[in-house]
């Protein structure tokens, strides 16, 4: 039987025909390739009795001979095989001439930079670790501090140690790791091929992220191809960047078109379709995040994981776990490095790939006052295209509820569920759009051990069903369920990456409590250096780390701006309905909405209930008008009450929904639609409350028979400034809510705001003529509201100044003064809205900010 010689990366073996050899990333295989493009068990080489054959085991990225993907092929001398990529994947040269080289008895990393070499850390080793350290770290070579790692085969020339870069920019853009196309479609000259969800399309895509009539391919008279967007809701993408809505773009031979979860590539006269089924690899390369002052909070983080994997990230406080999560999801791109979604650069193609990523923050991303089904219904309405029918959304919601075993809880309010069940609902919300990557931040925080296990088993099931799941956690009880474990050291560097069952032995401790204590006690120790000087690094991370770091060069932000799945009015209407549902389900808030203005209005009735709000007659002896203190006091109480009620309505609204807003903004929510939904609902409530306060406060008192604007409707004219004041105070409350970091900080600011309004109404002391103070009072809404009501009541006569002719122009009994006062009051509200919109930007994914 003929022997076969296999050569790869400067290493050769003579294969025995009496046995088969497995190739892949599995450390237990015969020949191990630490390359993210190679599958776990990629292929087998064996002798079938007649000839040597190579058989692909359904690998994700394929096996290639002469640029063609093969599944089963007889090998001849001189054959060259590429794994994972037809051009620059790991190469196997096969010959029939025997070379006296022993068979590999231990798996090794066939790819990697400086594979087989390790650097000994120079710092003092923590005492509990010294006895457990691996051989390469015990005895550093005396000259140069470098040594060969025992147990790792010798490599070839140095130039063979560094693999070619894969991913975006290496030849033709990869399509889902260069898998085989899902289907083929033949083109003919002059034909138009329309893509969409509707059955009448030439190419029907069963994906709710795709519009009913999404896009179409055209062949131009000169034989070129173009893609034309048909006004799709989620956009059509070329090489990860959106083309204008309703626009078109000519396609080159290497261009990739993205439509929903499908990607298309034109090869000759054939259209190849690739469907993202969720089985994607994921890798991070040299991620570094630097904050103001040059401090690095994430330092050169690299790791790669295969499809269907569950990865846990643990580490002490200050190790950069949250920063890493933001960098991996594109919320806050790293200053240096790249994140690859199946070899596609996430930062450069975020506009398209954001639809494939699910993120479950530590706080629940849903309104607890709603039922499970209703919360998912509103989320689906916002995330799916506007042409999605209610029946289609309902079917997808029911499918997700069944998958997560939440169908029996669908009619329960979220607030009535246990902690683990609420986390399932948050996961269900993200699964609506079928993401391939799911990130979770502390999903087991605050849960008991039983719920902790349930949540981790849920994540294990999600990974087994064909998703890549990464979870940041403090819990170490269920790490055995994970495929890989990433341990972050203080300062934001990697201390370990590999199988969780080998981690404690790697650190040389018996428990994770000891490991975390070592992190705290030896904060200056070079944990990253120890990791890079280990055999685990050579096996699990050396190949990813071998690619040189790259500075992140983002496309222009206008080009990055992704389309929105819903039009502005549709989003606004959905948000208003959801907000009204949330308020209607909160009985306490409903009661407070009625009781608060009623009490504030009634309090004013206690002030000289028998006195009206008209000017007093002149003093018979002096001829001077006696000031009517009741009018100014009543108006002061009503104004402060309106300020307090308006600000109280809104001061918590943005802060309590901050996590929800941040996540929904990343999925295409319009900032202005969100803000206007708050302004519309809260404004309507506040205006009605102001009307109630004004009617209660003015009805029982004598007021002028004729007003300046509404004639005989003086009661309404006096109530208008109170209503406008409540609205503007509500806008000030939104500013407070957008600035604070926690809801607890809103109440002191609310009280301070109300007190300041009391001082600057002009009812306690004369503001006109007070240099500086009067000008500052123009920023206070209560100043203008009292002035508008004072203009109707003629405050200059009710409370005349001590010096004749020193009247307040804002209180002048004229239509012009009233209009100026009301205009300034409304303008303050508009200005507040502008600032709220600007402050909301701080709570959005950085990559999406204009």
């Amino acid at each position: 039987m003929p022997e076969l010689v296999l050569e790869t990366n400067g290493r050769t073996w003579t294969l025995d025909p009496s046995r088969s050899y497995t190739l892949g990333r599995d450390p237990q295989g015969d020949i191990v390739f630490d390359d993210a493009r190679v599958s776990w068990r990629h292929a087998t080489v064996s002798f079938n009795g007649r000839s040597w054959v190579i058989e692909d085991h359904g690998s994700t990225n394929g096996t290639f001979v002469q640029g063609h993907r093969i599944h089963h092929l007889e090998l001849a001398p001189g054959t060259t095989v590429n794994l994972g990529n037809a051009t620059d994947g790991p190469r196997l040269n096969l010959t029939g001439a025997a070379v006296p080289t022993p068979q590999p008895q231990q798996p090794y990393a066939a790819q990697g930079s400086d594979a087989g070499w390790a650097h000994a850390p120079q710092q003092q080793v923590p005492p509990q670790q010294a006895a457990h350290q691996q051989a390469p770290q015990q005895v550093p070579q005396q000259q140069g501090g470098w040594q060969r790692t025992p147990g790792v085969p010798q490599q070839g020339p140095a130039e063979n140690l560094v693999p070619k870069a894969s991913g975006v920019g290496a030849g033709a853009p990869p399509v889902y790791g260069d898998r085989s196309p899902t289907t083929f479609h033949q083109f003919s000259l002059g034909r138009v091929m329309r893509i969409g969800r509707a059955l009448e399309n030439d190419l029907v895509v069963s994906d709710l992220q795709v519009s009913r009539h999404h896009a179409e391919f055209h062949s131009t008279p000169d034989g070129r191809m173009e893609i034309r967007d048909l006004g799709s809701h989620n956009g059509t993408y070329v090489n990860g960047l959106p083309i204008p809505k309703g626009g078109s773009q000519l396609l080159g031979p290497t261009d990739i078109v993205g439509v929903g979860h499908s990607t298309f590539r034109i090869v000759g006269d054939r259209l190849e379709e690739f469907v993202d089924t969720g089985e994607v690899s994921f890798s991070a390369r040299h991620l570094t995040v630097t904050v103001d002052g040059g401090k690095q909070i994430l330092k050169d983080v690299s790791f790669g994981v295969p499809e269907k994997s569950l990865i846990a990230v643990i580490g002490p406080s200050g190790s950069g776990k949250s920063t890493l999560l933001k960098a991996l999801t594109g919320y806050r791109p790293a200053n240096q490095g790249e994140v690859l979604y199946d070899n596609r650069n996430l930062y450069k193609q975020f506009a398209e790939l954001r639809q494939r990523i699910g993120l479950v923050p530590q706080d629940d991303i849903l309104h607890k006052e709603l039922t499970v089904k209703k919360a998912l219904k509103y989320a689906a309405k916002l995330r799916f295209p506007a042409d999605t029918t209610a029946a289609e959304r309902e079917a997808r919601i029911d499918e997700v509820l069944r998958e997560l075993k939440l169908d029996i809880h669908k009619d329960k309010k979220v607030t009535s569920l246990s902690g683990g069940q609420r986390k399932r609902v948050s996961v269900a919300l993200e699964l609506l759009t079928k993401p391939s990557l799911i990130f979770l931040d502390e999903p087991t925080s605050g849960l008991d051990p039983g719920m902790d296990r349930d949540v981790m088993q849920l994540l294990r099931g999600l990974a087994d069903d064909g998703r890549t799941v990464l979870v940041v956690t403090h819990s170490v009880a269920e790490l055995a369920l994970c495929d890989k474990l990433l341990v972050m050291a203080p300062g934001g560097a990697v201390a370990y990456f590999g199988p969780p069952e080998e981690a404690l032995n790697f650190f040389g401790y018996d428990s994770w409590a000891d490991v975390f204590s070592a992190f705290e006690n030896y904060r200056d120790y070079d944990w990253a250096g120890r990791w890079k000087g280990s055999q685990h690094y050579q096996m699990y991370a050396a190949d990813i780390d071998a690619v040189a770091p790259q500075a992140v060069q983002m496309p222009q932000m206008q080009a990055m701006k992704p389309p929105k799945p819903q039009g502005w009015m549709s989003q606004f209407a959905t948000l208003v309905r959801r907000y009204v549902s949330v308020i209607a389900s909160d009985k306490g808030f409903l009661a407070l909405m009625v009781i608060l203005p009623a009490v504030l209005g009634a309090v004013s009735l206690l002030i000289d209930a028998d006195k009206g709000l008209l000017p007093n007659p002149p003093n018979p002896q002096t001829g001077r008008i006696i000031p009517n203190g009741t009018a100014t006091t009543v108006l002061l109480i009503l104004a402060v009450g309106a300020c307090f009620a308006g600000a109280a309505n809104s001061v918590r609204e943005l802060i309590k929904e901050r996590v929800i807003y941040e996540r929904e903004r990343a999925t295409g929510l319009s900032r202005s639609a969100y803000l206007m939904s708050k302004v519309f609902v809260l404004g309507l409530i506040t205006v009605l409350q102001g009307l109630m306060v004004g009617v209660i406060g003015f009805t029982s008192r004598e007021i002028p028979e004729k007003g300046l604007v509404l004639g005989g409707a003086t009661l309404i004219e006096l109530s208008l400034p109170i209503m406008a004041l409540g609205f503007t105070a509500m806008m000030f409350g939104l500013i407070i809510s957008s600035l604070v970091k926690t809801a607890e900080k809103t109440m002191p600011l609310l009280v301070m705001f109300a007190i300041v309004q009391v001082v600057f109404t002009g009812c306690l002391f004369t503001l006109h003529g007070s240099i500086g103070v009067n000008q500052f009072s123009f920023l206070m809404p209560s100043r203008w509201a009292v002035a508008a009501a004072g203009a109707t009541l003629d405050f200059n006569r009710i409370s005349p100044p001590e010096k004749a002719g020193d009247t307040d122009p804002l209180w002048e009994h004229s239509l012009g003064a009233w209009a100026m006062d009301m205009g300034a009051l409304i303008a303050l509200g508009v200005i507040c809205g502008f600032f709220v919109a600007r402050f909301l930007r701080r709570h959005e994914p950085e990559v999406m900010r204009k």
Side-chain angles (χ1 to χ4, degrees), residues 579 589 643-656 678 682-683 686 726-738 746 750:
Y579 194 25
F589 183 74
C643 280
F644 186 83
N649 286 339
S650 61
V651 76
R652 289 176 176 263
E653 288 306 307
L654 299 183
I655 181 62
K656 75 179 185 181
K678 295 293 185 186
L682 290 175
T686 304
F727 179 86
T728 304
M730 180 270 296
M731 297 301 296
F732 269 92
L734 289 178
I735 288 184
I736 295 173
S737 191
S738 65
T746 59
L750 172 62

Side-chain angles (χ1 to χ4, degrees), residues 759-778 783-784 786-787 795-796 799-812 820-821:
V759 175
F760 290 99
T761 56
C763 297
L764 296 181
F765 59 91
T766 302
L767 291 173
H768 178 63
S770 299
I771 305 301
V773 177
N774 187 41
Q775 286 70 28
F776 182 75
S777 72
F778 294 160
R783 171 75 160 114
W784 298 102
V786 170
F795 260 19
N796 282 327
S799 183
E802 295 182 359
K803 295 182 180 180
D806 197 16
T807 57
D808 191 333
L810 300 185
W811 289 0
E812 184 180 344
M820 181 182 67
D821 295 337

Side-chain angles (χ1 to χ4, degrees), residues 668-697:
L669 179 68
S670 167
R671 182 196 311 139
S672 59
Y674 175 79
L675 178 56
M676 286 306 298
S677 71
K678 295 293 185 186
V679 172
F680 179 78
V681 176
L682 290 175
L684 185 60
I685 292 172
T686 304
V687 166
L688 292 177
Q689 288 178 327
L691 179 61
M692 185 183 301
V693 170
V695 169
I696 294 175

Side-chain angles (χ1 to χ4, degrees), residues 600-601 604 631-647 686 690 693-694 697-698 718-719 721-730 753-763 780-790 795 825:
L600 293 173
S604 68
T632 54
T633 303
V634 168
L635 205 53
L636 171 65
I637 293 174
L638 295 180
V640 173
C643 280
F644 186 83
T686 304
V693 170
F698 293 124
L718 287 173
S719 298
I722 304 301
M723 297 159 65
L725 175 59
F727 179 86
T728 304
M730 180 270 296
F753 172 75
I755 292 175
V756 170
Q757 300 310 306
V758 173
V759 175
F760 290 99
T761 56
C763 297
M780 303 298 144
S782 63
R783 171 75 160 114
W784 298 102
V786 170
F795 260 19
L825 185 57

Side-chain angles (χ1 to χ4, degrees), residues 207-264:
D207 181 359
L208 291 183
Q209 294 290 86
V210 177
S211 298
R212 294 183 61 81
H213 300 95
H214 196 103
E216 56 188 19
F217 286 96
H218 287 259
S219 58
T220 60
D222 59 359
R224 302 178 67 184
M225 297 298 300
E226 72 171 2
I227 181 67
R228 181 178 302 167
D229 183 81
L230 299 178
S232 63
H233 298 280
N234 277 328
T236 304
Y237 301 83
V238 176
N239 300 328
L241 298 179
I243 63 176
K245 193 169 186 176
S248 61
Q249 182 171 330
L250 288 172
L251 300 175
T254 63
D255 288 334
I256 295 172
V257 177
V259 174
H261 285 81
S262 297
T263 303
F264 301 89

Side-chain angles (χ1 to χ4, degrees), residues 557-580:
M557 294 311 295
Q558 186 63 26
M560 281 296 302
K561 184 181 178 182
K564 297 178 175 62
Q566 301 278 331
W568 191 94
M569 279 303 300
S570 178
Q571 287 192 357
F572 173 74
T574 301
L575 291 167
V576 167
R577 287 197 297 270
R578 183 177 71 178
Y579 194 25
V580 170

